[in-house]
Amino acid sequence: MTLRVGGLTPLSTTDWPGMLAAVVFCQGCPWRCGYCHNPHLIPARGDNEIPWDDVLAFLHRRRGLLDGVVFSGGEPTLQPELADAMRAVRALGFRVGLHTGGAYPRRLAEVLPLVDWVGLDAKAPFADYARITGVAGSGASALASLGAVLASGVAHEIRTTVYPALLDAAEVSRLSQDLSARGVTRHVIQAFRSQGCADAGLVRDVRIAPASANTV
């Protein structure tokens, strides 16, 4: 088995702060966040998957031109093949970044030694996670993943997407204070993006969050 890839961005300057990176979008996610802007990546299999060998061939041609490769999604840690994919990327000389919601803390802990930077989502106060993800117990998984990232010493930022109808200012403040108390030093607020969102009700709602800003 090889990594299931639902998309590839050849060059990004925003997915890994300060790095020129390709972004590999992993297929599959166990959560159902209403504001997701990559809903086509939620199913375990996609209609337009890119063979992993083709991704490696592309990266081989980009050696010396890119700083790193970010594994995003979907949820990359859903796939057991993630660690081998990261090793292959490192063997080509690239640094490795990871975007994750923290749904699989054990698998996240296993791949952290292969990772140079992590962007971890903190979607809501951890007791209220199911309201965002639609999955009971998701907050406990996210909290365990946060602990793994903080204990690893890997460079990271914690990101929260804010859509006021789902997460109000008081909840954002409470989450920020909780993260700070746990040792988080970089918490980034991200505005809801309507592009790609499959929830027509959210797209129509005018209560869009303000531009991104650091809160910690």
Side-chain angles (χ1 to χ4, degrees):
M1 296 287 290
T2 58
L3 194 73
R4 301 188 306 279
V5 178
L8 175 66
T9 297
L11 175 64
S12 171
T13 60
T14 59
D15 286 273
W16 185 346
M19 291 286 181
L20 297 177
V23 184
V24 175
F25 291 94
C26 301
Q27 189 73 40
C29 183
W31 293 347
R32 300 295 183 266
C33 305
Y35 53 61
C36 179
H37 62 273
N38 285 326
H40 64 287
L41 295 174
I42 291 176
R45 300 308 303 248
D47 295 331
N48 299 292
E49 291 183 20
I50 302 171
W52 176 240
D53 286 345
D54 289 358
V55 175
L56 287 178
F58 163 79
L59 293 175
H60 190 276
R61 298 192 298 271
R62 292 300 184 271
R63 288 186 297 175
L65 301 176
L66 296 172
D67 300 314
V69 176
V70 176
F71 290 87
S72 189
E75 173 50 58
T77 61
L78 178 149
Q79 298 193 47
E81 297 80 12
L82 179 62
D84 285 343
M86 288 179 167
R87 292 186 186 99
V89 166
R90 296 194 74 87
L92 289 174
F94 295 106
R95 300 179 72 185
V96 172
L98 174 66
H99 291 171
T100 178
Y104 299 97
R106 289 185 181 178
R107 191 164 292 150
L108 174 60
E110 291 171 359
V111 301
L112 280 172
L114 302 170
V115 173
D116 298 290
W117 175 84
V118 179
L120 174 67
D121 293 339
K123 297 178 181 293
F126 296 102
D128 300 329
Y129 245 64
R131 178 161 48 85
I132 303 295
T133 66
V135 176
S138 52
S141 296
L143 185 56
S145 291
L146 173 64
V149 170
L150 293 176
S152 73
V154 174
H156 60 273
E157 71 177 24
I158 311 302
R159 301 98 54 86
T160 300
T161 297
V162 174
Y163 187 92
L166 298 175
L167 193 67
D168 64 28
E171 291 171 314
V172 173
S173 177
R174 180 156 52 95
L175 173 60
S176 182
Q177 292 172 11
D178 183 28
L179 293 173
S180 180
R182 296 178 188 277
V184 171
T185 59
R186 181 169 173 79
H187 180 209
V188 176
I189 302 301
Q190 301 180 146
F192 163 74
R193 291 192 297 167
S194 61
Q195 181 180 5
C197 179
D199 190 318
L202 295 186
V203 173
R204 286 194 303 267
D205 196 308
V206 297
R207 292 176 295 175
I208 303 298
S212 300
N214 292 347
T215 61
V216 175

Coordinates of all heavy atoms in Angstrom, one line a residue, residues 67-159:
D67 N 12.2 24.1 -0.2 CA 12.7 23.9 1.1 C 12.2 22.6 1.7 O 12.9 21.9 2.4 CB 12.4 25.0 2.0 CG 13.0 26.4 1.5 OD1 14.2 26.3 1.1 OD2 12.3 27.4 1.5
G68 N 10.9 22.4 1.5 CA 10.2 21.2 2.1 C 9.0 20.8 1.5 O 8.5 21.3 0.5
V69 N 8.3 19.8 2.1 CA 7.1 19.2 1.7 C 6.2 19.2 2.9 O 6.5 18.7 4.0 CB 7.3 17.8 1.1 CG1 5.9 17.2 0.7 CG2 8.2 17.9 -0.1
V70 N 5.0 19.7 2.7 CA 3.9 19.7 3.8 C 2.9 18.6 3.4 O 2.4 18.6 2.3 CB 3.2 21.0 3.9 CG1 2.1 20.9 4.9 CG2 4.2 22.1 4.3
F71 N 2.7 17.7 4.4 CA 1.6 16.7 4.3 C 0.4 17.3 4.9 O 0.3 17.6 6.1 CB 2.0 15.4 4.9 CG 3.0 14.7 4.2 CD1 4.4 14.9 4.4 CD2 2.7 13.7 3.2 CE1 5.4 14.2 3.7 CE2 3.7 13.0 2.5 CZ 5.1 13.3 2.8
S72 N -0.7 17.5 4.1 CA -1.9 18.2 4.6 C -3.1 17.2 4.3 O -2.9 16.1 4.0 CB -2.1 19.5 3.9 OG -3.1 20.3 4.5
G73 N -4.3 17.8 4.3 CA -5.4 16.9 4.1 C -6.7 17.6 3.8 O -6.7 18.8 3.6
G74 N -7.8 16.8 4.1 CA -7.9 15.6 4.8 C -7.2 15.5 6.1 O -6.8 16.5 6.7
E75 N -6.9 14.3 6.6 CA -6.2 14.1 7.8 C -5.0 13.1 7.5 O -5.3 11.9 7.4 CB -7.1 13.6 8.9 CG -6.3 13.2 10.2 CD -5.4 14.2 10.7 OE1 -5.8 15.4 11.0 OE2 -4.1 14.0 10.8
P76 N -3.8 13.6 7.4 CA -2.7 12.8 7.0 C -2.5 11.6 7.9 O -2.1 10.5 7.5 CB -1.5 13.7 7.0 CG -2.0 15.1 6.8 CD -3.4 15.1 7.5
T77 N -2.7 11.8 9.2 CA -2.4 10.7 10.2 C -3.4 9.6 10.1 O -3.3 8.6 10.8 CB -2.2 11.2 11.6 OG1 -3.5 11.8 12.0 CG2 -1.1 12.2 11.7
L78 N -4.5 9.7 9.3 CA -5.4 8.6 9.1 C -4.7 7.4 8.4 O -5.1 6.3 8.6 CB -6.6 9.1 8.3 CG -7.7 8.1 7.9 CD1 -9.0 8.8 7.8 CD2 -7.4 7.4 6.6
Q79 N -3.7 7.7 7.6 CA -3.1 6.7 6.8 C -1.9 6.1 7.4 O -0.9 6.8 7.7 CB -2.8 7.3 5.4 CG -4.0 7.8 4.6 CD -3.6 8.1 3.2 OE1 -3.0 7.2 2.5 NE2 -4.1 9.2 2.7
P80 N -1.8 4.8 7.6 CA -0.6 4.1 8.1 C 0.6 4.3 7.3 O 1.7 4.2 7.7 CB -1.0 2.7 8.2 CG -2.5 2.6 8.2 CD -2.9 3.8 7.3
E81 N 0.4 4.6 6.0 CA 1.5 4.8 5.1 C 2.2 6.1 5.2 O 3.2 6.4 4.5 CB 1.0 4.6 3.6 CG 0.5 3.3 3.3 CD -1.0 3.1 3.8 OE1 -1.6 4.1 4.2 OE2 -1.4 1.9 3.8
L82 N 1.7 7.0 6.1 CA 2.3 8.4 6.2 C 3.8 8.3 6.6 O 4.6 9.1 6.0 CB 1.5 9.2 7.2 CG 2.0 10.6 7.5 CD1 1.9 11.4 6.2 CD2 1.2 11.3 8.6
A83 N 4.2 7.5 7.5 CA 5.6 7.5 8.0 C 6.5 7.1 6.8 O 7.5 7.8 6.7 CB 5.7 6.5 9.2
D84 N 6.2 6.1 6.1 CA 7.0 5.7 4.9 C 7.1 6.8 3.9 O 8.2 7.1 3.3 CB 6.5 4.4 4.3 CG 6.8 3.2 5.1 OD1 7.6 3.3 6.0 OD2 6.1 2.2 4.9
A85 N 6.0 7.5 3.7 CA 6.0 8.6 2.7 C 6.9 9.7 3.2 O 7.7 10.3 2.4 CB 4.6 9.1 2.5
M86 N 6.9 10.0 4.5 CA 7.7 11.1 5.0 C 9.2 10.7 4.9 O 10.1 11.5 4.6 CB 7.4 11.3 6.5 CG 6.1 12.1 6.7 SD 5.7 12.3 8.5 CE 4.4 13.5 8.4
R87 N 9.5 9.4 5.2 CA 10.9 8.9 5.0 C 11.4 9.1 3.6 O 12.5 9.5 3.3 CB 11.0 7.5 5.5 CG 10.8 7.3 7.0 CD 11.1 5.8 7.4 NE 10.7 5.6 8.8 CZ 9.6 5.1 9.2 NH1 8.7 4.6 8.3 NH2 9.4 4.9 10.5
A88 N 10.5 8.8 2.6 CA 10.9 8.9 1.2 C 11.2 10.4 0.9 O 12.1 10.7 0.1 CB 9.8 8.4 0.3
V89 N 10.4 11.3 1.4 CA 10.6 12.7 1.1 C 11.9 13.2 1.8 O 12.6 14.0 1.2 CB 9.4 13.5 1.7 CG1 9.7 15.0 1.8 CG2 8.1 13.3 0.8
R90 N 12.1 12.7 3.0 CA 13.4 13.1 3.6 C 14.6 12.6 2.9 O 15.6 13.2 2.8 CB 13.4 12.6 5.1 CG 12.4 13.2 6.0 CD 12.6 13.0 7.5 NE 13.7 13.8 7.9 CZ 13.6 15.0 8.4 NH1 12.4 15.6 8.5 NH2 14.6 15.7 8.8
A91 N 14.4 11.4 2.3 CA 15.6 10.8 1.5 C 15.9 11.6 0.3 O 17.0 11.5 -0.2 CB 15.2 9.3 1.1
L92 N 14.9 12.4 -0.2 CA 15.2 13.3 -1.3 C 15.8 14.6 -0.9 O 16.1 15.4 -1.7 CB 13.9 13.5 -2.1 CG 13.3 12.4 -2.9 CD1 11.9 12.8 -3.4 CD2 14.2 11.9 -4.0
G93 N 16.0 14.8 0.4 CA 16.6 16.0 0.9 C 15.7 17.1 1.3 O 16.2 18.2 1.7
F94 N 14.4 16.8 1.4 CA 13.5 17.9 1.8 C 13.2 17.8 3.3 O 13.2 16.7 3.9 CB 12.1 17.7 1.1 CG 12.2 17.9 -0.4 CD1 12.1 16.8 -1.2 CD2 12.3 19.1 -0.9 CE1 12.2 16.9 -2.6 CE2 12.4 19.3 -2.3 CZ 12.3 18.2 -3.2
R95 N 12.9 19.0 3.9 CA 12.3 19.0 5.2 C 10.8 18.6 5.1 O 10.2 18.8 4.1 CB 12.5 20.4 5.8 CG 14.0 20.8 5.9 CD 14.2 22.2 6.5 NE 13.8 22.2 8.0 CZ 13.8 23.3 8.7 NH1 14.0 24.5 8.1 NH2 13.5 23.2 10.0
V96 N 10.3 18.2 6.3 CA 8.9 17.7 6.3 C 8.1 18.5 7.2 O 8.4 18.7 8.4 CB 8.9 16.2 6.7 CG1 7.4 15.8 6.9 CG2 9.6 15.4 5.7
G97 N 6.9 19.0 6.7 CA 5.9 19.7 7.5 C 4.7 18.9 7.5 O 4.4 18.0 6.7
L98 N 3.8 19.2 8.5 CA 2.6 18.4 8.7 C 1.5 19.3 9.2 O 1.6 20.1 10.1 CB 2.8 17.3 9.8 CG 1.6 16.5 10.2 CD1 1.0 15.6 9.0 CD2 1.9 15.6 11.4
H99 N 0.3 19.2 8.5 CA -0.9 19.8 9.0 C -1.8 18.7 9.5 O -2.0 17.7 8.8 CB -1.7 20.5 7.8 CG -1.0 21.7 7.3 ND1 -1.5 22.3 6.1 CD2 0.0 22.4 7.7 CE1 -0.7 23.4 5.9 NE2 0.2 23.4 6.8
T100 N -2.3 18.9 10.7 CA -3.1 17.8 11.3 C -4.2 18.4 12.2 O -3.9 19.4 12.9 CB -2.3 16.8 12.1 OG1 -3.1 15.8 12.7 CG2 -1.4 17.4 13.2
G101 N -5.3 17.7 12.3 CA -6.3 18.1 13.3 C -6.1 17.3 14.6 O -6.8 17.6 15.6
G102 N -5.2 16.3 14.6 CA -4.9 15.6 15.8 C -5.9 14.5 16.1 O -6.1 14.0 17.2
A103 N -6.5 13.9 15.1 CA -7.5 12.9 15.2 C -6.9 11.6 15.7 O -7.6 10.7 16.3 CB -8.3 12.7 13.9
Y104 N -5.6 11.3 15.4 CA -5.0 10.1 15.7 C -3.7 10.3 16.5 O -2.6 10.3 16.0 CB -4.7 9.3 14.5 CG -5.9 8.9 13.7 CD1 -6.3 9.8 12.6 CD2 -6.7 7.8 14.0 CE1 -7.5 9.5 11.9 CE2 -7.8 7.5 13.3 CZ -8.2 8.3 12.2 OH -9.4 8.1 11.5
P105 N -3.8 10.6 17.8 CA -2.6 11.0 18.6 C -1.5 10.0 18.6 O -0.3 10.3 18.6 CB -3.2 11.2 20.0 CG -4.5 10.6 20.0 CD -5.0 10.6 18.6
R106 N -1.8 8.7 18.6 CA -0.7 7.7 18.6 C 0.1 7.7 17.3 O 1.3 7.7 17.3 CB -1.3 6.3 18.9 CG -1.8 6.1 20.3 CD -2.3 4.6 20.4 NE -2.8 4.4 21.8 CZ -3.3 3.2 22.2 NH1 -3.4 2.2 21.4 NH2 -3.8 3.1 23.4
R107 N -0.6 7.8 16.2 CA 0.1 7.8 14.9 C 0.8 9.1 14.8 O 1.9 9.2 14.2 CB -0.9 7.6 13.8 CG -0.2 7.4 12.4 CD -1.2 6.8 11.4 NE -1.6 5.5 11.8 CZ -2.7 5.0 11.5 NH1 -3.6 5.7 10.8 NH2 -3.0 3.7 11.8
L108 N 0.3 10.2 15.3 CA 1.0 11.5 15.3 C 2.3 11.4 16.1 O 3.3 11.8 15.6 CB 0.1 12.6 15.9 CG 0.8 14.0 16.0 CD1 1.3 14.5 14.7 CD2 -0.2 15.0 16.7
A109 N 2.2 10.8 17.2 CA 3.4 10.6 18.0 C 4.5 9.8 17.3 O 5.7 10.1 17.4 CB 3.1 10.0 19.4
E110 N 4.0 8.8 16.5 CA 5.0 8.0 15.8 C 5.7 8.7 14.7 O 6.9 8.4 14.4 CB 4.2 6.8 15.2 CG 3.7 5.8 16.3 CD 2.8 4.7 15.7 OE1 2.5 4.8 14.5 OE2 2.3 3.9 16.4
V111 N 5.0 9.7 14.0 CA 5.6 10.4 12.9 C 6.4 11.7 13.3 O 7.2 12.2 12.5 CB 4.6 10.7 11.8 CG1 4.0 9.4 11.3 CG2 3.6 11.7 12.2
L112 N 6.1 12.1 14.5 CA 6.8 13.4 14.9 C 8.3 13.4 14.8 O 8.9 14.4 14.5 CB 6.3 13.8 16.4 CG 5.0 14.4 16.5 CD1 4.6 14.6 18.0 CD2 4.9 15.8 15.8
P113 N 9.0 12.3 15.1 CA 10.4 12.3 14.9 C 10.9 12.5 13.4 O 12.0 12.8 13.2 CB 10.9 10.9 15.4 CG 9.8 10.5 16.3 CD 8.5 11.0 15.8
L114 N 9.9 12.4 12.5 CA 10.2 12.6 11.1 C 9.9 14.0 10.6 O 10.0 14.3 9.4 CB 9.5 11.5 10.2 CG 9.7 10.1 10.5 CD1 8.8 9.2 9.8 CD2 11.2 9.7 10.1
V115 N 9.3 14.8 11.5 CA 8.7 16.1 11.1 C 9.6 17.2 11.6 O 10.1 17.2 12.8 CB 7.3 16.1 11.7 CG1 6.7 17.5 11.5 CG2 6.4 15.1 11.0
D116 N 9.7 18.3 10.8 CA 10.4 19.5 11.2 C 9.5 20.6 11.7 O 10.0 21.5 12.4 CB 11.2 20.0 10.0 CG 12.2 19.0 9.5 OD1 13.2 18.8 10.2 OD2 12.1 18.4 8.4
W117 N 8.2 20.5 11.3 CA 7.3 21.6 11.7 C 5.8 21.0 11.7 O 5.5 20.2 10.8 CB 7.4 22.8 10.8 CG 6.3 23.9 11.1 CD1 6.4 24.9 12.0 CD2 5.1 24.0 10.4 NE1 5.3 25.6 12.0 CE2 4.5 25.2 11.0 CE3 4.4 23.4 9.4 CZ2 3.2 25.6 10.6 CZ3 3.2 23.8 9.0 CH2 2.6 24.9 9.6
V118 N 5.0 21.4 12.6 CA 3.6 21.0 12.7 C 2.7 22.2 12.8 O 2.9 23.1 13.6 CB 3.4 20.1 13.9 CG1 1.9 19.6 13.9 CG2 4.3 18.8 13.9
G119 N 1.6 22.2 12.0 CA 0.5 23.1 12.1 C -0.6 22.2 12.7 O -1.2 21.4 11.9
L120 N -1.0 22.4 14.0 CA -2.0 21.6 14.6 C -3.3 22.5 14.8 O -3.2 23.5 15.4 CB -1.5 21.1 15.9 CG -2.5 20.3 16.8 CD1 -2.9 19.0 16.2 CD2 -1.9 20.1 18.2
D121 N -4.4 21.9 14.4 CA -5.7 22.7 14.6 C -6.1 22.5 16.1 O -6.0 21.4 16.7 CB -6.8 22.1 13.7 CG -6.5 22.4 12.3 OD1 -5.7 23.3 11.9 OD2 -7.1 21.6 11.4
A122 N -6.6 23.6 16.6 CA -7.4 23.6 17.9 C -8.7 24.2 17.5 O -8.9 25.4 17.4 CB -6.7 24.4 19.0
K123 N -9.7 23.3 17.3 CA -11.0 23.8 16.7 C -11.9 24.4 17.6 O -12.8 25.2 17.1 CB -11.6 22.5 16.0 CG -10.8 21.9 14.9 CD -11.4 20.7 14.3 CE -10.6 20.1 13.2 NZ -10.5 21.0 12.0
A124 N -11.8 24.2 18.9 CA -12.8 24.7 19.9 C -12.2 24.4 21.3 O -11.3 23.6 21.4 CB -14.2 24.1 19.7
P125 N -12.8 24.9 22.3 CA -12.5 24.3 23.6 C -12.7 22.8 23.6 O -13.7 22.3 23.0 CB -13.6 25.0 24.6 CG -13.8 26.3 23.9 CD -13.8 26.0 22.4
F126 N -11.8 22.1 24.2 CA -11.7 20.7 23.9 C -13.0 19.9 24.3 O -13.4 18.9 23.7 CB -10.5 20.1 24.6 CG -9.2 20.6 24.0 CD1 -8.5 21.6 24.7 CD2 -8.8 20.2 22.8 CE1 -7.3 22.1 24.1 CE2 -7.6 20.7 22.2 CZ -6.9 21.7 22.9
A127 N -13.7 20.4 25.3 CA -15.0 19.7 25.7 C -16.1 19.9 24.7 O -17.1 19.2 24.8 CB -15.4 20.3 27.1
D128 N -15.9 20.9 23.8 CA -17.0 21.2 22.8 C -16.6 20.8 21.4 O -17.3 21.2 20.5 CB -17.2 22.8 22.8 CG -17.6 23.3 24.2 OD1 -18.3 22.5 24.9 OD2 -17.3 24.4 24.5
Y129 N -15.6 19.9 21.3 CA -15.1 19.6 19.9 C -16.2 19.0 19.0 O -16.3 19.2 17.8 CB -14.0 18.6 20.0 CG -12.7 19.2 19.6 CD1 -12.1 20.3 20.2 CD2 -12.0 18.7 18.5 CE1 -10.9 20.8 19.8 CE2 -10.8 19.2 18.0 CZ -10.3 20.3 18.6 OH -9.1 20.8 18.2
A130 N -17.0 18.1 19.6 CA -18.0 17.4 18.8 C -18.9 18.3 18.1 O -19.5 18.0 17.0 CB -18.8 16.4 19.6
R131 N -19.2 19.5 18.6 CA -20.0 20.5 17.9 C -19.4 20.9 16.6 O -20.2 21.3 15.7 CB -20.2 21.7 18.9 CG -21.1 22.8 18.3 CD -21.6 23.7 19.4 NE -20.6 24.1 20.3 CZ -19.7 25.2 20.1 NH1 -19.8 25.9 19.0 NH2 -18.9 25.5 21.0
I132 N -18.1 20.9 16.5 CA -17.4 21.3 15.3 C -17.2 20.1 14.4 O -17.5 20.1 13.2 CB -16.1 22.0 15.6 CG1 -16.3 23.2 16.5 CG2 -15.4 22.4 14.3 CD1 -17.1 24.3 15.9
T133 N -16.7 19.0 15.0 CA -16.3 17.9 14.1 C -17.4 16.9 13.8 O -17.3 16.1 12.9 CB -15.2 17.1 14.9 OG1 -15.7 16.5 16.1 CG2 -14.0 18.0 15.3
G134 N -18.5 16.9 14.6 CA -19.5 15.9 14.4 C -19.2 14.6 15.0 O -19.9 13.6 14.7
V135 N -18.1 14.4 15.7 CA -17.6 13.1 16.2 C -17.4 13.2 17.7 O -16.6 14.0 18.2 CB -16.3 12.7 15.5 CG1 -15.8 11.4 16.0 CG2 -16.5 12.6 14.0
A136 N -18.1 12.3 18.4 CA -17.9 12.2 19.9 C -16.5 11.8 20.2 O -15.9 10.9 19.6 CB -18.9 11.2 20.5
G137 N -16.0 12.4 21.3 CA -14.6 12.0 21.7 C -13.5 12.7 21.0 O -12.3 12.5 21.3
S138 N -13.8 13.5 19.9 CA -12.7 14.1 19.1 C -11.9 15.1 19.9 O -10.7 15.3 19.7 CB -13.3 14.8 17.9 OG -14.4 15.7 18.3
G139 N -12.5 15.7 20.9 CA -11.7 16.7 21.8 C -10.6 16.0 22.6 O -9.5 16.5 22.7
A140 N -10.9 14.8 23.1 CA -9.9 14.1 23.8 C -8.7 13.7 22.9 O -7.6 13.8 23.3 CB -10.5 12.8 24.4
S141 N -9.0 13.3 21.7 CA -7.9 13.0 20.7 C -7.1 14.2 20.4 O -5.9 14.2 20.4 CB -8.6 12.4 19.4 OG -9.2 11.2 19.6
A142 N -7.8 15.3 20.2 CA -7.1 16.6 19.9 C -6.2 17.0 21.0 O -5.1 17.5 20.8 CB -8.1 17.7 19.5
L143 N -6.7 16.9 22.2 CA -5.9 17.3 23.4 C -4.7 16.4 23.6 O -3.6 16.9 23.9 CB -6.8 17.2 24.6 CG -6.2 17.7 26.0 CD1 -5.7 19.1 25.8 CD2 -7.2 17.6 27.1
A144 N -4.9 15.1 23.3 CA -3.7 14.2 23.4 C -2.7 14.5 22.4 O -1.5 14.5 22.6 CB -4.2 12.7 23.3
S145 N -3.1 14.9 21.2 CA -2.2 15.3 20.1 C -1.5 16.5 20.4 O -0.3 16.7 20.2 CB -3.0 15.4 18.8 OG -3.5 14.2 18.3
L146 N -2.2 17.5 21.0 CA -1.5 18.7 21.5 C -0.4 18.4 22.5 O 0.7 18.9 22.4 CB -2.5 19.7 22.1 CG -1.9 20.9 22.8 CD1 -1.3 21.8 21.7 CD2 -3.0 21.7 23.5
G147 N -0.7 17.5 23.4 CA 0.3 17.1 24.4 C 1.5 16.5 23.7 O 2.7 16.8 24.1
A148 N 1.3 15.7 22.7 CA 2.4 15.0 22.0 C 3.3 16.0 21.3 O 4.5 15.9 21.3 CB 1.8 14.0 21.0
V149 N 2.6 17.0 20.6 CA 3.4 18.0 19.9 C 4.2 18.9 20.9 O 5.4 19.1 20.6 CB 2.4 18.9 19.1 CG1 3.2 20.1 18.5 CG2 1.8 18.1 17.9
L150 N 3.6 19.3 22.0 CA 4.3 20.1 22.9 C 5.5 19.4 23.5 O 6.6 19.9 23.8 CB 3.4 20.6 24.0 CG 2.3 21.6 23.5 CD1 1.3 21.9 24.7 CD2 2.9 22.9 23.0
A151 N 5.3 18.1 23.8 CA 6.4 17.3 24.4 C 7.5 17.0 23.5 O 8.6 16.7 23.9 CB 5.8 16.0 25.0
S152 N 7.2 17.0 22.2 CA 8.2 16.6 21.2 C 9.3 17.6 20.9 O 10.4 17.2 20.5 CB 7.5 16.3 19.8 OG 7.1 17.5 19.2
G153 N 9.0 18.8 21.2 CA 10.0 19.9 20.9 C 10.0 20.3 19.4 O 10.8 21.1 19.0
V154 N 9.2 19.7 18.6 CA 9.1 20.0 17.2 C 8.5 21.4 17.0 O 7.5 21.8 17.7 CB 8.3 19.0 16.4 CG1 8.1 19.4 15.0 CG2 8.9 17.6 16.5
A155 N 9.1 22.2 16.1 CA 8.5 23.6 15.9 C 7.1 23.4 15.4 O 6.7 22.5 14.7 CB 9.3 24.3 14.8
H156 N 6.2 24.4 15.9 CA 4.8 24.2 15.6 C 4.1 25.5 15.7 O 4.6 26.5 16.3 CB 4.2 23.2 16.6 CG 4.3 23.6 18.0 ND1 5.4 23.3 18.8 CD2 3.5 24.3 18.8 CE1 5.3 23.8 20.0 NE2 4.1 24.4 20.0
E157 N 2.9 25.6 15.2 CA 1.9 26.6 15.5 C 0.5 25.9 15.7 O 0.3 24.9 15.1 CB 1.9 27.7 14.5 CG 1.2 27.4 13.2 CD 1.2 28.6 12.2 OE1 2.0 29.5 12.4 OE2 0.3 28.6 11.3
I158 N -0.3 26.5 16.6 CA -1.6 26.0 16.8 C -2.6 26.9 16.1 O -2.5 28.2 16.3 CB -1.9 25.9 18.3 CG1 -0.8 25.2 19.0 CG2 -3.2 25.2 18.6 CD1 -0.5 23.8 18.5
R159 N -3.5 26.4 15.3 CA -4.4 27.3 14.5 C -5.8 27.0 14.8 O -6.2 25.8 15.0 CB -4.2 27.0 13.0 CG -2.8 27.2 12.5 CD -2.0 25.9 12.4 NE -2.6 24.9 11.6 CZ -2.6 24.7 10.3 NH1 -1.8 25.6 9.6 NH2 -3.2 23.8 9.7

